[in-house]
Amino acid sequence: MKKLTLLLLLCCLPLAARAGSRGLDIAFIDATPAHTTAEGKRLAELLVMDMKKLYSGDQVGKLFPWSENTVDLKVLHAEPLGLSFDNLINIKNPKKIGLMLAKNRVSDGLIVFYYDRTNGVARLKLFDGNGFELLLLRLPLEGKNSAMKYSILKGNRLGALAAVGANVRWSP
């Protein structure tokens, strides 16, 4: 009987260690004005694809605090939600972000992207679940003579997204 109890305990112990673990639950908004170029729209799509791969890949648990490979990435649009950002991704009422995240059942935060081709930069800003700013990244766009003109190289995108993921205030 003691052996059976010990065997059951050893079998259930790994399951108990995983209790309460979960993946990442985050939202993404492209705050670039509607009259953006095709390069800006494509860059936003690439960022979403890179986030899904990076945040659910082999680095989970090593580089990022969440413990499962599941990513619930909700891609939202700013206009229907009543959110308006300036070119530095500032918002007048940060409480709107917190209410919007609660309404859409997003617990870990919001990543806002802004493509500024005229100044040659793209910006990413991370907000927590309450609407407070956590991180702002300014990434230079490639020049006219580059193979990916007016875009961001993949290594730079992944590095920026790794920095964003490492600054998410995640709790199980």
Side-chain angles (χ1 to χ4, degrees), residues 17-25 54-57 59-61 64-72 170:
R18 304 268 310 161
S21 65
R22 63 178 179 88
L24 181 68
D25 185 18
L54 183 67
Y55 295 159
S56 64
Q59 299 302 318
V60 172
F64 306 121
W66 50 93
S67 54
E68 290 186 7
N69 286 337
T70 58
V71 176
D72 187 12
W170 183 88

Side-chain angles (χ1 to χ4, degrees), residues 14 30 32 45 53 102 115 119 149 155:
D30 182 4
T32 308
E45 292 172 358
K53 287 179 188 174
Y115 182 78
N119 292 319
K149 57 185 169 187

Side-chain angles (χ1 to χ4, degrees), residues 106-118:
V106 176
S107 60
D108 294 323
L110 171 69
I111 300 170
V112 182
F113 168 72
Y114 190 90
Y115 182 78
D116 190 0
R117 181 175 171 178
T118 57

Side-chain angles (χ1 to χ4, degrees), residues 117-154:
R117 181 175 171 178
T118 57
N119 292 319
V121 296
R123 293 180 187 88
L124 288 171
K125 188 176 266 192
L126 174 66
F127 293 91
D128 69 356
N130 297 323
F132 296 109
E133 300 173 8
L134 297 177
L135 179 71
L136 173 65
L137 296 174
R138 181 180 178 268
L139 303 167
L141 298 176
E142 293 298 309
K144 295 178 185 178
N145 298 330
S146 174
M148 290 183 58
K149 57 185 169 187
Y150 306 118
S151 188
I152 301 171
L153 295 176
K154 186 173 185 174

Side-chain angles (χ1 to χ4, degrees), residues 39-110:
E39 294 95 359
K41 292 177 184 176
R42 179 63 182 154
L43 187 55
E45 292 172 358
L46 288 173
L47 285 169
V48 169
M49 290 182 347
D50 289 343
M51 278 187 274
K52 288 179 181 178
K53 287 179 188 174
L54 183 67
Y55 295 159
S56 64
D58 296 336
Q59 299 302 318
V60 172
K62 297 175 191 170
L63 182 62
F64 306 121
W66 50 93
S67 54
E68 290 186 7
N69 286 337
T70 58
V71 176
D72 187 12
L73 179 65
K74 294 181 174 91
V75 179
L76 305 172
H77 300 284
E79 294 85 18
L81 298 171
L83 299 175
S84 62
F85 299 92
D86 63 3
N87 61 351
L88 294 175
I89 314 177
N90 294 320
I91 188 165
K92 291 181 181 178
N93 188 0
K95 291 183 180 181
K96 280 187 174 182
I97 292 177
L99 293 172
M100 182 270 305
L101 291 176
K103 180 180 176 185
N104 288 299
R105 294 187 179 107
V106 176
S107 60
D108 294 323
L110 171 69

